[in-house]
Amino acid sequence: MASNIEHFVADYDTDLSQVDEFHTEKEVTGLFREALAIIIKNPLFWISSVIILILGSMALFPGLWTSTDPLYCPIGDSNLPASSAHILGTTLQGCDVYARVIDGAKPSLAIGIMTTIIGTAIGVLIGTLAGFFGGVLDSILSRLIDIFYAIPFILAAVAVLQLFESSDSIWKVIFTLSIFAWVGPARLMRSAVLSVKQQEFITASVSLGATNKRNMFFHILPNAISPVISTATINIGAFIVAESTLSFLGLGLGSNTVSWGQDIANARDILVTTPSVLLWPSLFLAVTTLSFIFLGDAIREALDPKGRR
Amino acid sequence: MARYIGLRILQTIPVIIGTTFLIYALVFAMPGDPVRAMFGNHPPSEAAMAVIRHEFHLDEPFIMQYLHFLYGALTFDFGKTFQGRAVSDVIATSLPITAQLAFLAIFFEILIGVGLGIIVGVKKGKIFDNFILMSTLVIISIPTFVLGFVCQFLFGVKMRILPTTVGNYVDLYHMLMPALILAGVSVSYVIRLTRSQVRDNMNADYVRTARAKGLDNKTVILKHVLRNSLLPVITYIGADLGALMGGAVVTEAVFNINGIGHQLYSAIAKGEGTLVVSLVTVLVMIYIIANLIVDVLYAVLDPRIRYGKS
């Protein structure tokens, strides 16, 4: 505790109007810098980061990894075992499994990350408003959260996806998932804001005359957001799984976009004869999801002051 | 207490109206004419289609259609499917199948999830602990349908000890693998939750007091630690019932089960508004009632919580 207290002590002749700003900024950078110092000692953070960087390079520069066209599928090459030309074999349609696995990284990562960013941004805003203002606004927003929570997620997503004409755009999937992605962060944020709001430094800031907007975005939000950040990282993995589930149900991306979920669904037909066609996209999907879970876990451990002692 | 339960029931009313309205609006906005879709390439005369539209209230504005539905739902009359089958009949045949699947999954959550969670929480061994924690994360990160395919392949095709498909054979033997797959992710969460609860309580002051009194290890764990650890776990499992019923659509597709998720999926694909909304309403009601029971139980079991006062 001793090291925290000195952040709150200002120099004798500091202008009062600066006290507020000076201290909170010290405190916030302090928290994140401390977290950084903890996280770089965590081996799981390094392992998951390296895997995510590798996957990111597959998504951004697939040319670095393969020069085979994943959509070039000569039917004569159907179901080949692994060889030097096709290092992971070919699918029933004759597509190169390795090229398809590399190409599937892009839509999966894009959907996972974009959905998380959009959903978390909306959720943080709604949760902060509900928690900060309370009263009627809180009642309305909380019921809205309850409504979205009660709807079975996958089935609602299926219904929303029916509204779109079939296309290869990943945006319809991102849009659909985002409609439901804000609910979790909103709930988390609301309860975090409720507890931060009652702490003494907020009372102090109010008594110094800080406006609602200033209190909300400069004092409460940075202090309440840590659980949302670690959960959001884990959610990237959850949305990648959700996308693959929708693709499995035949509603995700069109057949001109390579997707792990679709490839897994197609692999079912030849599971008995060629199990390896199921293995590779599943393995990539699982490793990607697992990396985001580990990363989120490492962030949570670093940001959670209870876990430090 | 009665006041709290009353308030809690009142709170669910806007949720039920909101969810049904949202789903109804979604289905209403779907492209295509469902009446034409009923007949395929040989549509009947306009007059015949108009009669059908009128019968299903499809010629009325959206809000009227919704009110018709809401009025019917209040009297447990969900109308008919386009094939002329009563919606309540569809629910009556498909709901028990999914309920059986979900309850079997809950059974596995308690047996494997709570059981392993307690063992890992009480034991001090670092390797065993890490192994279980890693396994739960691996299961969480694999999509349900992949897990389903792998188990079908291993236990059904290779070892031939369990059937790969359910179909019309709705019994314990055929439901065993689907229920395990459905429970998979939840079991992982239950293990993690139970473990951390038990760990936290093992270090609590009251446990030290109990040990200081001279109680043996078994009594301390069974009578003191578990009693305090399992409350959040029970909450999680209870609330999970609704999630399992709604999430069963993938498991039902993988194992060819004719449950409510399967019915709902095909109703969405056919654009059958009334059926979709009716089935979602049933699922949402189950979810809400399960949560209600859990909340009330929580208030009964935990005297620290003073509901309805703040």
Side-chain angles (χ1 to χ4, degrees):
Chain A
M1 277 318 278
S3 63
N4 281 351
I5 288 168
E6 62 182 35
H7 296 314
F8 289 96
V9 180
D11 289 335
Y12 174 66
D13 42 58
T14 310
D15 188 31
L16 256 191
S17 65
Q18 285 178 359
V19 169
D20 171 40
E21 200 173 348
F22 179 72
H23 287 302
T24 45
E25 284 193 3
K26 258 282 199 279
E27 172 66 357
V28 170
T29 50
L31 176 70
F32 284 102
R33 203 171 288 166
E34 257 180 68
L36 195 69
I38 293 169
I39 207 167
I40 56 171
K41 287 187 205 130
N42 190 338
L44 277 181
F45 165 74
W46 289 108
I47 296 170
S48 53
S49 301
V50 167
I51 294 175
I52 289 167
L53 280 179
I54 292 173
L55 288 162
S57 74
M58 286 176 186
L60 293 174
F61 316 105
L64 281 179
W65 296 86
T66 174
S67 51
T68 317
D69 180 2
L71 294 174
Y72 174 70
C73 307
I75 194 67
D77 291 350
S78 176
N79 250 349
L80 292 179
S83 65
S84 57
H86 306 284
I87 53 170
L88 302 179
T90 58
T91 68
L92 183 64
Q93 288 81 22
C95 317
D96 184 58
V97 171
Y98 174 70
R100 286 188 77 86
V101 163
I102 298 291
D103 224 58
K106 189 177 177 179
S108 289
L109 285 184
I111 289 170
I113 293 171
M114 288 310 295
T115 307
T116 304
I117 291 174
I118 297 172
T120 309
I122 300 172
V124 164
L125 188 70
I126 290 182
T128 310
L129 289 175
F132 186 79
F133 287 110
V136 181
L137 185 71
D138 183 30
S139 296
I140 294 172
L141 290 177
S142 291
R143 287 297 86 71
L144 197 68
I145 292 171
D146 285 349
I147 288 170
F148 275 85
Y149 236 89
I151 299 176
F153 169 66
I154 285 294
L155 293 166
V158 168
V160 175
L161 279 170
Q162 296 281 329
L163 304 181
F164 294 95
E165 285 173 23
S166 75
S167 74
D168 292 321
S169 162
I170 59 168
W171 286 102
K172 65 170 187 186
V173 181
I174 293 173
F175 175 79
T176 307
L177 293 176
S178 300
I179 295 178
F180 305 95
W182 63 272
V183 190
R187 257 196 177 179
L188 216 53
M189 198 63 197
R190 178 180 168 272
S191 62
V193 166
L194 277 178
S195 74
V196 172
K197 199 171 76 168
Q198 282 162 2
Q199 284 178 23
E200 278 130 357
F201 72 95
I202 297 299
T203 321
S205 149
V206 171
S207 67
L208 282 168
T211 59
N212 270 348
K213 205 169 94 186
R214 184 167 185 85
N215 265 329
M216 207 157 56
F217 292 110
F218 286 86
H219 298 294
I220 295 179
L221 198 135
N223 283 291
I225 207 163
S226 346
V228 176
I229 293 176
S230 58
T231 319
T233 317
I234 294 172
N235 276 347
I236 296 176
F239 291 126
I240 291 174
V241 170
E243 180 275 318
S244 75
T245 305
L246 290 172
S247 290
F248 162 72
L249 292 172
L251 285 153
L253 300 163
S255 54
N256 285 329
T257 312
V258 180
S259 137
W260 291 333
Q262 249 174 29
D263 281 8
I264 293 168
N266 291 334
R268 184 195 196 181
D269 302 334
I270 49 169
L271 179 59
V272 176
T273 51
T274 330
S276 70
V277 176
L278 175 75
L279 171 75
W280 293 108
S282 309
L283 190 70
F284 269 67
L285 185 62
V287 168
T288 310
T289 315
L290 206 55
S291 305
F292 282 110
I293 293 178
F294 281 147
L295 187 63
D297 224 36
I299 294 174
R300 185 187 52 74
E301 239 166 63
L303 284 176
D304 179 15
K306 261 206 295 187
R308 281 182 202 164
R309 287 175 234 292
Chain B
M1 197 63 211
R3 196 184 114 93
Y4 168 68
I5 297 172
L7 254 167
R8 200 57 193 68
I9 291 173
L10 276 183
Q11 270 184 359
T12 61
I13 293 173
V15 177
I16 293 170
I17 294 177
T19 38
T20 50
F21 185 82
L22 216 71
I23 295 290
Y24 211 95
L26 260 180
V27 174
F28 189 83
M30 277 180 191
D33 181 349
V35 179
R36 275 196 80 100
M38 286 164 72
F39 294 96
N41 286 333
H42 300 284
S45 68
E46 264 311 311
M49 288 209 285
V51 171
I52 297 172
R53 280 206 183 90
H54 185 72
E55 194 194 337
F56 289 102
H57 302 293
L58 291 172
D59 51 352
E60 288 172 46
F62 163 69
I63 198 78
M64 287 308 292
Q65 289 189 34
Y66 174 68
L67 289 177
H68 273 299
F69 163 77
L70 207 61
Y71 176 75
L74 280 176
T75 52
F76 290 102
D77 171 21
F78 289 108
K80 283 179 188 167
T81 67
F82 287 155
Q83 281 84 37
R85 201 173 158 206
V87 171
S88 50
D89 185 43
V90 177
I91 295 171
T93 51
S94 61
L95 188 62
I97 300 176
T98 306
Q100 215 172 321
L101 188 65
F103 277 108
L104 201 54
I106 296 263
F107 171 73
F108 284 127
E109 274 182 40
I110 297 170
L111 188 77
I112 306 172
V114 178
L116 262 182
I118 293 173
I119 295 172
V120 181
V122 172
K123 281 238 165 98
K124 292 254 156 43
K126 198 92 179 119
I127 299 170
F128 183 61
D129 186 38
N130 279 341
F131 172 73
I132 295 288
L133 282 186
M134 278 296 261
S135 315
T136 57
L137 287 183
V138 168
I139 288 177
I140 290 171
S141 59
I142 300 176
T144 313
F145 55 97
V146 176
L147 226 51
F149 293 162
V150 171
C151 287
Q152 276 179 331
F153 182 64
L154 284 180
F155 302 118
V157 179
K158 286 279 158 184
M159 297 188 209
R160 296 188 177 277
I161 46 173
L162 282 174
T164 54
T165 171
V166 175
N168 289 325
Y169 305 99
V170 186
D171 54 36
L172 190 64
Y173 175 57
H174 283 83
M175 290 289 230
L176 209 57
M177 191 155 58
L180 255 175
I181 298 296
L182 180 62
V185 173
S186 299
V187 165
S188 303
Y189 281 120
V190 172
I191 291 177
R192 298 177 74 85
L193 184 63
T194 313
R195 173 191 168 274
S196 69
Q197 286 294 325
V198 170
R199 277 275 155 99
D200 283 356
N201 280 307
M202 289 291 270
N203 296 323
D205 289 342
Y206 71 86
V207 171
R208 203 180 320 143
T209 312
R211 287 194 200 283
K213 279 197 306 192
L215 294 181
D216 62 307
N217 201 27
K218 201 175 129 195
T219 320
V220 170
I221 289 170
L222 288 181
K223 290 232 162 143
H224 294 264
V225 175
L226 285 192
R227 223 179 236 197
N228 285 290
S229 308
L230 291 185
L231 207 53
V233 179
I234 294 168
T235 318
Y236 178 86
I237 293 176
D240 203 35
L241 179 67
L244 286 177
M245 307 255 329
V249 58
V250 176
T251 319
E252 288 178 1
V254 171
F255 291 97
N256 188 24
I257 301 169
N258 231 330
I260 204 162
H262 173 79
Q263 292 288 351
L264 188 45
Y265 179 69
S266 64
I268 291 171
K270 279 186 276 180
E272 253 197 74
T274 331
L275 189 54
V276 174
V277 186
S278 309
L279 294 174
V280 171
T281 309
V282 171
L283 287 176
V284 169
M285 289 296 289
I286 292 171
Y287 176 86
I288 288 172
I289 292 170
N291 271 293
L292 193 68
I293 294 172
V294 166
D295 276 7
V296 172
L297 263 182
Y298 211 100
V300 173
L301 290 176
D302 194 339
R304 282 173 305 182
I305 294 167
R306 299 270 176 266
Y307 278 117
K309 286 207 169 166
S310 59

